[in-house]
Amino acid sequence: MANSHDVVPGVVFSTVDKVARWAQSSSLWPFAFGLACCAIEMMSTVAGRFDIARFGAEVFRASPRQADLMIVAGRVSMKMGPVIKRLYDQMPDPKWVIAMGACSSCGGVFNNYAIIQGVDKVIPVDVYVPGCPPNPDALLYAVTRLQEKIRSGEARPGHKILEPAQEVITVESGRTS
Amino acid sequence: MEFEQTRRIFEKARERFGEDVSLSDRPNGEGSIVVEPSLIRDFTRWVRDEAEGSFDFFGEVCATDFLGRSPRFDLTYTVYSTTANRHLHYKTRVDDPDPQVDSVVDIFPGAGWHEREIFDMFGVRFHGHPDLRRILMPEHWRGHPLRKDYPLGGEEVQFSSNFADITPQTLPPAPGEDIFLGWDVLETQPSSYTQLLESGAELEHDGEGRMVINMGPQHPSTHGVLRLLLELDGENVVKAVPDIGFLHTGIEKTGESLNYQQALTLTDRMDYLSPMGNNLAFSLSVERLIGLEPPERATILRVIFAELTRIQSHLVWLGTHALDLGAMSAFFYCFRERDQILDMFEMVSGVRMMTSYICPGGLREDVTDDFVPALERFLKVFPDRLGEYETLLTRNPIWLERTQGVGKISAEDAVAYGVSGASLRGSGVRWDVRKAEPYCGYDTYDFEVPVGTNGDVYDRYLCRIEEMRQSHRIIRQALSRLQPGPVQAEERKVVPPPKSEIGQSMESLIHHFLITTIGFVAPPGEGHVPTETGRGLLSFYIVGDGSPKPYRMRARTPSFANLQALPRMLEGCLVADAVATIGSIDIVLGEIDR
Amino acid sequence: MSEELVTLTIDGVTVRTAPGTLLVEAAAQAGILIPVYCYHPKLAPVGACRMCLVEVEGAPKLIASCTTPVREGMVVYTDNQRVRKAREGILEFLLVHHPLDCPVCDKGGECPLQDFTYQFGPSRSRFRYPKRHWDKPLQIGPNILLDRERCIMCFRCVRFCEEISHHRQLGVFQRGNNQEIGTFPGQPFDSRFAGNTIELCPVGALTGAPTRFFGRTWEIGHTPSVCTGCSTGCNIRVDSRHGSEVVRLWSRENPATDDGWLCDPGRFGYGFVNDGRLEEPLVESDGQCVPATWQQAIARAGAVLEQHAKAGTLGILTSPRMTSEELFSVSKLARTVLKVPHLDHTARYVHPAAVDLRAFAASAGFTPGTLRDIQDARQIITIGVDLSREQPVTDLRVKKAVTQKGAELVVVDAEELELSAFARHTVLWQPGDEAATVMSLANAVASPSEANGMQAVGELLRQEGPKVVLLGWRVGESPDAERIGESLAALAQALGPGTRCVTILRHCNSRGALDLGVHPAEDPVSGRGMSGEEMLRAACEGRIRALWLLGEEPLQDADPDLVRRAMENLEALVFQGWSLPSWLERVPDAALPSTTFAEMDGTFTNTHGRVQRIFRAIRPKGKSRPGWEIVNDLAQALGHPFDSRTVEAVFEEMCAATPAYRGLSWNSLGVAGRESQADSAAAAPAAAQG
C-alpha cells in the first residue's frame, strides 16, 4: 500500500475505496435473522468458543435498517418469502447476504410445496454455505470469504437498488443469466 | 397404554352410547374407540368427566386421509389423564364431499389450534369453532396440502445432466419482480388482523385508542419466526394473537413420500433444539408399530442421549431467555456447556446437531471410545456450572423483578390448553411423561420432577434449572448401568445386517440391499408412544400401511399447544413482559409449524 | 360360456372361478399373492420351483398350486405356519448357491428373489460351505448374457423357447448341483425373441447385453409408449435416465397388439434416440451446413417451400414413422397452405389400386380384422408376408394359434419361410405369377373337384372357420396388384363371408399415414399428385426441383440408384427429422431437428387400425421439437398460422377431419389405445371396439 520512498512513520497510504472496503469487511453488522436450526449454529458462532467477534461481526442488529449483512439461517417457507424480501429491501446499501445452510441455498432436504427452493429466488446471495446445519467453523469460513470478496471490490450488480438491473448475476456461482 | 385398558373404557362407553361406539380392530396396537361423528361432543365430554381416569389433558386431534375409502377422513383424538397416568385414543370418521364435524373447543380449549390445522391441511370443517381459519399455510392458499390427492410439490433438482434445461428456474427475479403472483404483501397483513377481529373475538370498546403492533416474524425475542399481533392499551397488552406458519416446512407430507429411515432425518429438523428427542419419539413409535424392542444397551444409551439433549436444550433456552431479558453473560456461559455436549454428539454420530442417531431398532452405531470419558468429564463440571448460572440469575433482583408474577397461567387453564413440560409444571401440575407413562425404562431411574407454584415465568425458570440437575442425575445412573452389548435389535427384516456379514451371507446381502434401497416394511397399523422432551409432551402418531413408507406421520409437538396458551398468559401484562413470557414457554417454531 | 363355476375357499375367502383354473390363478383373482418363480401365465406350468406350495385340506403333503386346478369345495391355506415354513425352506435352498452379486446384478431392485426372500425367506444364512462357481457371464447370443451361478432353475427361458418362440436354442444340461442352462454346442442364442427371456428370468441369470448396467430401477423413469420398429404397435415401457436418455425398453402387455412379447430388433433398437441425432437447426451456407437458430431455419425452409410450391415443383415425402399428429400437420400444410398435391409417405413403387392395402383387401371382399383375431382363427393364411422377419411378434401369435389352439396355417409366398415349418401347406408362387397362383388357390377352395394340385389346401380351407388372412405389403408393390386383387376377391368369395383380413404394413405408422390421406391417391382439392416414386423420377427429369423430406425412411426404402440420381438433380432440399442420414449426398438448404417418439406425446396407428398413445419419456434432445410444432412454425412463417397449439388440439382436429378416427378423444385412448373405424362400410363390430 505504501510507496516505499515516501515512508512517513505512523502514516499509511491507501485509496479511499480500499480503506472503505477494509472497514466494511472488518465490521460487518449482521442482521439477526435466524429462521430455523441454522440459527442455533449461528448462535454458537456468536458464543465464546467460535467467536465471530474475532472477525468484527459480533454486533447483531435486530433492525434491518442498522445491519449490512443478512445471514439467512434456515429454511424459507412460502409465507416467509415476502417477509424476507421486505426486510432485505429495508436494509441500506451496501449490503451482503450469506445463505447459511442447505435450505436457504437450495431448499435443502425439503423439496416440496412449502419451502422456497433457495432464498436466491427472492434475494441475491453472495455466499452459500452448505451444511445441515453448517458447523460454526463453516459459517466463519463463509464470513471470511465474504470479507475477501468485499475487499476485492468485485462488482455485485445484483445488489443494486439505485439502478434497475438489466441482468441479475449471482457472482459466487459465476453464471450469467 | 395397553389394549386392555382401552377395552375396559370401551365397555363403559358401550353402556352409555350403545351401538354408536365401536372398538377399532388392531388388538396388538393400543386400540381406539370409534365414535359416530354426531356424538363426538358428548363422547368428549364423557371422556373428560366420567370415563375411568378422567382424561383432563387434551393431547391432540389429528386427521388421516384414506383416499379411496369411504368415509375418507379419520379424526383421531388423543387425551391424557394427568392423574391416572394413561391416555386414550378415540376416532371419528367423516366423508367427502364437504367433511365436517362438531368442534370440541369449548370442552377442551386446547383443541382450538389442532382443529384449525386440520381445517388448513385437510379441509375438514368444525362446527362451532370460533375462529376456523388457516393456521400454517398462507391465508390465500388454495387447496389442502396433507390430502393425498394434493401433490407434494417442489421443483426438479438441477444436475449437470439437466442443467441447461432448468436453469431459468434458479435465477432470482429481477428487483421489483414479484414471484408470488397475485399476492400483495402489504394487503395481507392488515386484513388478516381485521379478519381476526371480525371472527368473533370480543373487543371492549371503552372509547380509548388501542394500538395494534406487530411483533415478528423477525424479532430478536420471538425465538424464531413467530408473529404476534399485540393489541396494546398503552404499554399493556390487551390481546395477543399469534400468527404462525412462517416456518411451515411440510415435514408431515414429505415424510409420507420417504421411507422410515429417511423420514427419521426429517424429525431432527422439527424441534431443532432437541433433535435426538425427536428421533427418540419417532423411533419409539415406529418400533411400537413394528413390534420391535431395541437391546438393553441401546435403551440405556438412548436415555443418556435424551437427557443430554434435554440439558443442551435447556441451556439454549436459558441463554436466549436471559439474553432477551438483558443478562448477556448467561448466554455465553450456557453455550460453553452446550458446545461440550455437542462435541459428544459429534463424537458418536459425526454431526453436532441433526444426528439421526437414534433410529428404529436402536442406535445407528455404538458410541466411540472417547465418548464415555468425555461424558464423565462433562458430568463432573456440570453441577458447578449450573450453580454458576443460578448465582447469576436466581436471586438477581433484576431477574426477580422481571420474572416473578409475570406471564401467569393457572393449573386448570394449562391442563385444559394442553400445555405440557415445564410450562405446565411451573403452575403446580406434577405431570411428566417420563414418570406418568414411562418409556425406555425411565421408571427404573431415580429422579424428581420439579414443580412450581405460581405458574409465572420465574417458577418455570426454576423448574427447568432443576430439571437440568435431575437430568444430570439420570445420566449418572444410566452411565453406571452401561454394559457392553449390541446397540441394534437383531431383527434382520428391519435393521440391516452388519457390513461384515454382507460378504458372507446371501440372505444378509439381500436384506441389506432391500432395507437400504427401499426400506424396511412396517405392517398396517398405528404406532404412538408419548415422550417428554425439553418442551413437553412430544408424540408421533405413525400409520403404517404395509409399505416401506409411513402412510401418515403426525407429530404432536409440545410447543404448538404451549403457544396456544400464550395469549392467556399475556393477558394484562406489559410489552416487556411479553418478551419474558415468550422466552419462558420455550417454544421452538420448527416444531410448531412443522 | 354358461359353465358351472367352481366354488372353493382360500384363506377363508370364498372364490368362484371357472373350472380348470389353476389354484395360483384363482388365488390371484381373490387378491391373494402366492409367490412363484417357474409359473408364468403364458407358459405351461411345470411345478419346478416349489415356491407356490400351499396347504389343501385333506392332502397329507403341501401341494403346488401352479399345477393344481381348482376343485369344488377345496379349502386352501396359503399363509399358515406350515406353508410359511415351506417357503422359507425353499428360499433357503435357492439361496444356497446364489452368488453374492446384488450390488452388480442388473436385476437388483426389481428381483423377485430379493423380494420374496425379504417377505418370506430366512433372515440369516446357515450355509457355511463354498458355493459352486461357473465362469460368468457368458455371452450366449448377440444380446443375451447368461450367468449360471444366479440361475434358480425355473426353466422359464427354456420353456419360452420351446413353447412360444419355437426357436429351440436353450436347453438344460447336467443334473443336480451341476445343472445349468446353456445353448447347444456351437449354436448362439440369436433368436429374434431372445430378449423376452430377460423379462421372464426371475433373477439376473439372463440379462441384456446392450442394456447391461443400465442403472437401478428406482432411479429410472418409466413411461408407457409404443415401439416404432414395425407396424404391430407393440406396447412398451420406455425406461429413461435423468429424463435425458433412454436406457431400456420393456414390454407392456396389450392383448390387442403384442400379447406381452417384444422382438429383439424392437427391444434393443432405441439407439437412434440417444445417438447420432440432429440436435440443432442447420442452414446451408457456402455448400456447408452451419448451425442456425430456429427462426433462421424456419425462414429458410419456408422460403424454399413457398417458392417451389408456387412453381409446382415441390414434392413432400414424409416418414411413416412419424406420429399421426405430425403427419396430419404436414398434410394440412401441404394441402391448404402450400397447395401441393405431391405428398406421399413412401418412395417405393406401390400400385395405385393398392395404395391403401386395407381398402384393397376390403374391396376384394374381406372383412377387416385385428391381430387378436389370429389366435381365435382355425385357419390362417399368410399371403406375401414373412412374419418372422417383417412382423416378428405377430409371428409368435401365429405360432401360438397353431401349436396351442390347433389352428391350421397355409403360407403363400415366393419361397419357404420360417413359418412354413408350422404350416400345413406352403404354396409357392413365381415372381410375376402371383395372381394366377392365388386364383388357383381360390378355385381349389371353391370347388373340390378342381384338379390343380391344390386339392389338399382347398379341402383344408373349406373347413369350418373362423379364417384369417394376413396380407403383406409386398402384394401392393407388385405391378400386377390389380389382377392379384381380382384373385383375392375370388379367394374371399371361396373362403366365405366373415373371413377376416389383417393387412400387414411396413412401418409403425403406415396405417396412420394412409388413414390421414398422406398419399396422392385421394385428394379432391388438388387433383391427383405424384406418388413418392413418381416424385423421384420427376426429380431426375427436373419436374420436381425441391423436396421436403421428413425422416429418412421414404428414401431409405426406395431404389438407391433412383434416390442418388434424384438427389443430384434437386435444386433444394428441406430436411426434417431426428437424424440427418449419412447417406444423403446432398447438403440440405435447411435441416430441422424433430423429436423421436420418446420425446413427445402423440399417437401411432398400428397395422390393423388401433390408435395408441405415446407419452413423452425424455426431454427433447438439443433443440429438437415435435414435428407438428415445426409445421406450426412453418405455417406461421408462410402467413397462415394454425390454431391448434397443443398436441391434444392437433389430435382433436385430426380426428374431426379423418373419417376413420371419428369418435376418438385424447383422454379415451388411455395407455392401451382404441380401435379406429376400419372401414365404415364393411367394419365388423369387433374392429370398431376399443
Side-chain angles (χ1 to χ4, degrees), chain A residues 31-33 35-37 40-41 43-44 46-50 62 64 75 77-83 86-87 109-117 120-122 132-133 135-136 165 168 175 177, chain B residues 137 141 145 152-155 157 163 169-173 180 183 185-186 189 217-218 220 225 243-251 254 266 269 272-273 320 332 335 338-339 343 352-354 590:
Chain A
F31 177 37
F33 196 47
L35 291 165
C37 348
I40 314 298
E41 286 294 59
M43 284 193 237
S44 278
V46 173
R49 180 165 168 193
F50 295 99
R75 46 199 188 249
S77 76
M78 286 291 171
K79 204 166 168 180
M80 196 63 191
V83 180
R86 204 136 178 239
L87 290 166
V109 204
F110 306 109
N111 191 0
N112 57 31
Y113 65 92
I115 294 290
I116 297 177
Q117 299 297 299
D120 58 359
K121 288 185 187 294
V122 186
C132 188
N135 249 4
V168 182
R175 274 194 351 259
S177 62
Chain B
M137 302 309 297
W141 199 264
L152 179 62
E155 59 179 46
V157 180
F163 188 90
Q169 282 180 311
T170 62
L171 284 184
F180 302 101
W183 183 8
V185 172
L186 292 174
Q189 284 173 355
Q218 181 274 326
V225 279
D243 182 12
I244 61 176
F246 289 92
L247 200 55
H248 177 63
T249 316
I251 286 183
T254 311
L266 294 176
R269 288 142 180 94
Y272 39 80
L273 285 183
T320 51
F332 292 100
F335 272 73
R338 180 167 181 267
D339 269 316
D343 280 347
R352 281 159 57 96
M353 280 173 66
M354 309 309 173

Side-chain angles (χ1 to χ4, degrees), chain C residues 99-268:
Chain C
L100 274 62
D101 277 357
C102 291
V104 297
C105 174
D106 271 348
K107 204 83 180 171
E110 49 183 18
C111 175
L113 185 65
Q114 280 184 335
D115 295 342
F116 292 152
T117 303
Y118 183 80
Q119 272 181 283
F120 307 112
S123 321
R124 284 172 181 68
S125 178
R126 293 191 284 182
F127 188 67
R128 303 261 174 274
Y129 307 100
K131 297 187 186 243
R132 61 121 167 76
H133 293 291
W134 301 107
D135 280 340
K136 57 186 245 175
L138 289 186
Q139 180 127 15
I140 52 174
N143 294 323
I144 308 294
L145 293 165
L146 169 67
D147 188 322
R148 291 169 287 178
E149 288 181 2
R150 298 176 190 168
C151 177
I152 58 169
M153 286 296 147
C154 70
F155 312 122
R156 276 186 184 180
C157 50
V158 179
R159 288 148 63 205
F160 172 80
C161 291
E162 285 181 0
E163 297 170 27
I164 308 282
S165 71
H166 297 275
H167 291 160
R168 295 192 147 95
Q169 297 177 330
L170 289 181
V172 185
F173 302 92
Q174 305 298 343
R175 296 158 59 180
N177 232 16
N178 301 319
Q179 203 171 29
E180 53 173 295
I181 300 288
T183 52
F184 296 96
Q187 315 275 340
F189 184 31
D190 59 359
S191 158
R192 210 167 296 111
F193 304 104
N196 291 301
T197 56
I198 302 169
E199 289 197 35
L200 285 173
C201 182
V203 294
L206 287 170
T207 50
T211 56
R212 195 166 189 224
F213 303 142
F214 66 92
R216 285 300 185 198
T217 187
W218 58 80
E219 58 183 15
I220 299 293
H222 302 292
T223 317
S225 192
V226 173
C227 178
T228 59
C230 73
S231 61
T232 311
C234 295
N235 284 196
I236 57 174
R237 191 188 76 194
V238 176
D239 288 354
S240 57
R241 199 158 182 194
H242 296 147
S244 64
E245 64 169 323
V246 173
V247 293
R248 193 171 70 157
L249 298 183
W250 211 243
S251 72
R252 180 170 63 91
E253 182 166 342
N254 188 337
T257 53
D258 55 56
D259 206 22
W261 310 116
L262 292 181
C263 69
D264 280 14
R267 178 191 294 277
F268 297 116

Side-chain angles (χ1 to χ4, degrees), chain C residues 486-621:
Chain C
E486 286 163 16
S487 308
L488 284 172
L491 182 63
Q493 175 98 347
L495 290 172
T499 303
R500 301 257 166 97
C501 177
V502 183
T503 47
I504 308 293
L505 300 172
R506 195 184 175 107
H507 283 290
C508 67
N509 209 17
S510 300
R511 184 72 249 156
L514 291 169
D515 287 337
L516 295 169
V518 181
H519 53 79
E522 304 161 17
D523 181 48
V525 176
S526 349
R528 196 187 179 287
M530 286 185 238
S531 73
E533 204 236 356
E534 284 168 350
M535 279 187 240
L536 289 186
R537 289 197 196 285
C540 295
E541 293 162 20
R543 287 183 287 125
I544 291 281
R545 299 207 196 97
L547 197 59
W548 183 16
L549 177 64
L550 297 101
E552 58 180 37
E553 283 76 20
L555 292 190
Q556 200 176 36
D557 297 342
D559 171 12
D561 199 51
L562 183 59
V563 169
R564 197 177 35 78
R565 283 187 291 123
M567 289 292 115
E568 275 168 11
N569 261 302
L570 279 179
E571 263 176 40
L573 174 68
V574 172
F575 179 80
Q576 179 175 326
W578 54 72
S579 77
L580 204 50
S582 52
W583 43 261
L584 197 66
E585 291 155 1
R586 220 214 119 77
V587 172
D589 289 57
L592 310 170
S594 70
T595 49
T596 62
F597 76 98
E599 299 152 313
M600 61 176 162
D601 289 327
T603 60
F604 289 125
T605 309
N606 90 331
T607 194
H608 73 242
R610 188 175 186 85
V611 178
Q612 304 186 109
R613 262 205 68 181
I614 58 171
F615 293 80
R616 194 181 112 146
I618 59 174
R619 273 186 295 278
K621 269 255 190 290

Side-chain angles (χ1 to χ4, degrees), chain B residues 20-42:
Chain B
D20 287 324
V21 296
S22 54
L23 194 56
S24 81
D25 54 355
R26 289 289 310 174
N28 39 336
E30 299 181 297
S32 52
I33 302 176
V34 184
V35 183
E36 278 298 302
S38 51
L39 279 180
I40 198 68
R41 287 179 56 82
D42 292 335

Side-chain angles (χ1 to χ4, degrees), chain B residues 145-282:
Chain B
L146 273 174
R147 286 190 172 195
K148 287 288 179 181
D149 49 0
Y150 190 95
L152 179 62
E155 59 179 46
E156 196 176 347
V157 180
Q158 201 176 29
F159 296 102
S160 51
S161 59
N162 60 10
F163 188 90
D165 302 299
I166 63 175
T167 299
Q169 282 180 311
T170 62
L171 284 184
E177 185 189 306
D178 193 356
I179 63 167
F180 302 101
L181 298 168
W183 183 8
D184 190 332
V185 172
L186 292 174
E187 233 177 66
T188 319
Q189 284 173 355
S191 75
S192 66
Y193 186 62
T194 321
Q195 247 186 324
L196 292 174
L197 297 180
E198 282 165 351
S199 66
E202 304 279 300
L203 248 200
E204 295 112 287
H205 296 277
D206 56 7
E208 306 220 341
R210 295 274 173 81
M211 189 166 60
V212 174
I213 63 165
N214 202 35
M215 189 173 166
Q218 181 274 326
H219 191 283
S221 310
T222 54
H223 294 275
V225 279
L226 167 67
R227 178 176 168 225
L228 273 182
L229 291 145
L230 296 173
E231 193 188 328
L232 300 179
D233 176 16
E235 276 260 348
N236 294 301
V237 174
V238 172
K239 193 171 145 77
V241 180
D243 182 12
I244 61 176
F246 289 92
L247 200 55
H248 177 63
T249 316
I251 286 183
E252 294 184 1
K253 181 127 188 130
T254 311
E256 292 171 15
S257 67
L258 302 172
N259 66 35
Y260 287 95
Q261 295 132 314
Q262 294 165 326
L264 177 71
T265 61
L266 294 176
T267 61
D268 281 296
R269 288 142 180 94
M270 274 177 13
D271 175 0
Y272 39 80
L273 285 183
S274 57
M276 289 222 217
N278 303 345
N279 292 155
L280 179 60
F282 180 79

Side-chain angles (χ1 to χ4, degrees), chain C residues 27-72:
Chain C
Q29 282 170 22
I32 296 170
L33 163 74
I34 298 180
V36 292
Y37 287 128
C38 67
Y39 172 76
H40 189 276
K42 294 200 191 298
L43 301 171
V46 287
C49 70
R50 316 312 286 174
M51 272 302 286
C52 62
L53 295 177
V54 294
E55 176 157 8
V56 174
E57 222 170 66
K61 287 184 159 191
L62 298 179
I63 293 195
S65 52
C66 70
T67 49
T68 311
V70 295
R71 242 186 18 251
E72 181 71 31

